[in-house]
Amino acid sequence: MPVSSNHGTMLLREWINSVKSQDFDIIGIYLEGQDIPDPHSTAPGGRQGLEPVTCQGAVKVSELGEDSTTELIFKNGVKFIGGVKNGVAQGQGELHLPEGVGEDQSEGEKVIRGKFLDGFLHGRVSIDDLQDCTNTELVYRNGVRHGPYRRFRRDGQLVLYGFYRSGKLSGRQLRVGTGDNSYFIGQMNAAEQFDGEVVFLYPTLKKAIIGEYKNGKMMTGSYADTQNAFQMEEDGFPRLVFQEERRDSLRFDPSTFMRISRTPTQPDEYETETVYVMESRIPFAGEGLFAARHIEEGDLVSLFNGHRITKCSNKKCVKFGDEEWSDFRLTLDKCTDLDIPEDSRTLDSYKATLGHKACHSFTHKNSMFHEFEHPRFGAIMSVIAMKPIKKDEEILVSYNYNICHAPPWYQEQWVQFLIKRGLKRERILEAKMKEETKSGLHLPQHLFENL
């Protein structure tokens, strides 16, 4: 039966937290309630998995140690290490698959660990993808993927959760955005790309963008509010109920190095309800960003989109005075920065995202920059609350500039920040030396003359 929206949000939050937790043994719970059939039986829907591992076809067979472990090496580069009985893999073992060999879309080298019965993977299996640095836990049945799976990044963040049926993705799948705080739910094709209707949930879980996707991209979409939620359905997902009203028209519109947006003055509805822009309370700072409502610690405050600038591999860091320098430039990843060009710095010209309006403070920061994934903008940055923020309170962040590369106003504020912290002259000079050693540049001496 449906529950109230508050209870529905709580149910949805508990479900997401459970699925994301590596301590919650989804695979074990599933296997306890399943009767894994005899490996000689045919998997439902026919075979669409790995071939059995046997000594036949191996170009090298080696006995390893006294525990009856065998190594099989095949012509295509596949290597098996584990138990072998009567010429077939039996018991615990691991498969080493070289690049381009395997049953899924990833081309990276993989290590598959699990139990083998008569040559077939059977039961709980773990797959390490050495190219994208992920681990997938899943269930095999007679060599075929059949049951729940979860994929985690190396840092423990959940990437994907869903179900396989007879070797194919079945029903709804959950993909967690790059910042670990946005959620996409819908059906996927064999390439693990969303197709058909997909629900995107903002971190509060109270607002969504419901859209039609093709090959992983939102073709059309609109805003909706979460109304109710039902208990888990057969596919292990809660059923979400949204208010009937659909607002605005959206599409996948990632920025490029030349274009920030096809619709630069179309605001994001979540931002409109969460923040507004007015003159900053910091002297000479220009416009600032303010809370339009009470914001809880950890909540998404604002989005930060921008031109995508590919970093030069032969240049360590852009510093103030360089042609490429911009006060608005923000690191997205190791290869890309985001920047707000001069012709997009007023609300009349650009208000699709507002994160760039947040001003800097060493002492009063209440928010921080954090990666985020959005169905309209793609992978971008965002502003996240570090503490509860009251309505009409100014949003303040640390720009995290390298001190020696920063503009003069930032360097002056840094020195004043150290003084306000009560650091003595010797400690401040030590901090100065540390920054100079780190960057290979010198800070202006006049900043330290009156200490």
Side-chain angles (χ1 to χ4, degrees):
M1 61 181 297
V3 294
S4 69
S5 59
N6 285 339
H7 284 98
T9 301
M10 290 176 59
L11 181 150
L12 186 55
R13 179 76 62 193
E14 290 174 358
W15 174 77
I16 288 175
N17 288 341
S18 295
V19 169
K20 290 169 65 174
S21 173
Q22 291 180 302
D23 295 330
F24 185 65
D25 189 6
I26 290 177
I27 303 298
I29 294 172
Y30 172 82
L31 290 175
E32 284 180 7
Q34 297 292 315
D35 181 21
I36 300 296
D38 186 278
H40 296 291
S41 63
T42 303
R47 170 156 305 286
Q48 306 206 21
L50 292 169
E51 291 301 314
V53 177
T54 70
C55 292
Q56 185 178 0
V59 297
K60 183 179 180 181
V61 179
S62 305
E63 296 292 334
L64 304 178
E66 298 178 356
D67 58 354
S68 301
T69 300
T70 301
E71 180 184 68
L72 306 178
I73 298 178
F74 299 88
K75 189 176 181 179
N76 61 357
V78 172
K79 180 169 69 175
F80 169 81
I81 300 175
V84 172
K85 184 177 180 180
N86 298 326
V88 298
Q90 200 76 264
Q92 290 298 129
E94 60 182 51
L95 274 173
H96 295 247
L97 305 182
E99 293 183 10
V101 177
E103 57 188 313
D104 56 25
Q105 298 298 315
S106 174
E107 297 181 353
E109 181 182 352
K110 301 178 192 63
V111 178
I112 304 176
R113 298 179 177 89
K115 188 175 182 179
F116 290 78
L117 289 177
D118 293 343
F120 292 109
L121 278 166
H122 203 64
R124 182 194 293 267
V125 172
S126 170
I127 302 176
D128 288 321
D129 191 313
L130 305 185
Q131 178 170 287
D132 62 15
C133 299
T134 61
N135 172 264
T136 303
E137 55 179 33
L138 68 167
V139 176
Y140 271 75
R141 173 177 169 179
N142 192 24
V144 176
R145 297 180 181 187
H146 192 81
Y149 75 96
R150 291 191 298 182
R151 183 173 301 157
F152 291 94
R153 295 193 324 197
R154 180 181 292 173
D155 61 5
Q157 179 187 317
L158 180 69
V159 178
L160 288 172
Y161 163 72
F163 281 77
Y164 280 96
R165 295 284 186 267
S166 304
K168 296 181 179 180
L169 292 171
S170 175
R172 292 177 292 173
Q173 316 293 317
L174 167 70
R175 186 168 71 79
V176 181
T178 53
D180 195 25
N181 59 356
S182 61
Y183 310 98
F184 299 78
I185 299 175
Q187 296 198 7
M188 286 181 167
N189 58 27
E192 297 181 348
Q193 298 172 327
F194 283 113
D195 268 336
E197 184 178 275
V198 175
V199 172
F200 166 81
L201 292 167
Y202 284 87
T204 62
L205 308 181
K206 297 178 180 179
K207 185 175 292 295
I209 295 176
I210 301 176
E212 284 292 323
Y213 282 59
K214 184 176 181 180
N215 295 328
K217 299 178 181 179
M218 183 174 68
M219 309 308 292
T220 61
S222 56
Y223 295 104
D225 296 317
T226 307
Q227 179 176 314
N228 289 318
F230 287 80
Q231 299 295 334
M232 306 304 166
E233 299 196 312
E234 291 184 2
D235 64 358
F237 282 68
R239 182 162 70 87
L240 305 179
V241 179
F242 298 95
Q243 294 182 3
E244 292 184 3
E245 181 186 11
R246 298 290 186 268
R247 301 175 298 276
D248 219 335
S249 177
L250 308 168
R251 60 175 293 190
F252 183 59
D253 180 26
S255 62
T256 68
F257 71 98
M258 294 184 64
R259 185 193 67 238
I260 196 167
S261 175
R262 292 187 178 91
T263 53
T265 59
Q266 181 183 19
D268 180 84
E269 188 173 280
Y270 179 92
E271 269 196 324
T272 300
E273 297 172 356
T274 306
V275 293
Y276 63 91
V277 176
M278 62 176 285
E279 196 70 15
S280 173
R281 294 177 182 140
I282 298 176
F284 311 112
E287 290 181 324
L289 195 64
F290 293 80
R293 60 173 177 83
H294 177 80
I295 301 172
E296 296 289 350
E297 179 180 352
D299 275 1
L300 172 68
V301 176
S302 186
L303 306 174
F304 194 115
N305 185 34
H307 279 190
R308 294 176 192 268
I309 302 173
T310 302
K311 300 177 187 179
C312 297
S313 59
N314 60 350
K315 191 166 189 176
K316 287 186 176 181
C317 188
V318 176
K319 63 182 185 296
F320 179 75
D322 291 347
E323 184 179 354
E324 307 98 315
W325 173 267
S326 165
D327 283 0
F328 296 90
R329 188 163 174 167
L330 185 65
T331 295
L332 175 62
D333 55 42
K334 63 181 181 180
C335 299
T336 309
D337 287 345
L338 298 175
D339 190 22
I340 308 295
E342 287 190 25
D343 60 2
S344 298
R345 294 177 184 173
T346 66
L347 293 181
D348 290 338
S349 58
Y350 180 73
K351 55 184 176 182
T353 61
L354 299 174
H356 61 285
K357 292 295 184 180
C359 289
H360 166 81
S361 174
F362 283 111
T363 55
H364 302 295
K365 61 185 177 183
N366 53 25
S367 301
M368 61 183 288
F369 292 118
H370 187 74
E371 58 185 329
F372 192 76
E373 189 167 354
H374 193 281
R376 176 182 170 190
F377 305 109
I380 56 173
M381 293 298 288
S382 68
V383 178
I384 302 293
M386 298 170 59
K387 60 182 72 173
I389 300 174
K390 297 178 181 178
K391 185 178 183 296
D392 297 321
E393 185 177 344
E394 184 165 4
I395 309 301
L396 297 171
V397 297
S398 171
Y399 285 176
N400 296 320
Y401 293 152
N402 180 303
I403 302 299
C404 292
H405 295 164
W409 66 264
Y410 191 89
Q411 295 174 341
E412 292 170 5
Q413 285 194 21
W414 177 69
V415 174
Q416 292 303 311
F417 169 64
L418 298 181
I419 293 173
K420 289 179 181 178
R421 285 179 57 193
L423 268 66
K424 301 298 183 181
R425 184 175 188 276
E426 293 75 15
R427 293 288 304 279
I428 294 176
L429 293 179
E430 286 177 9
K432 168 182 177 289
M433 183 178 299
K434 182 178 179 181
E435 294 295 331
E436 290 177 339
T437 301
K438 183 170 63 176
S439 65
L441 299 174
H442 293 285
L443 288 165
Q445 191 59 37
H446 70 84
L447 294 173
F448 307 90
E449 289 177 351
N450 298 319
L451 294 178

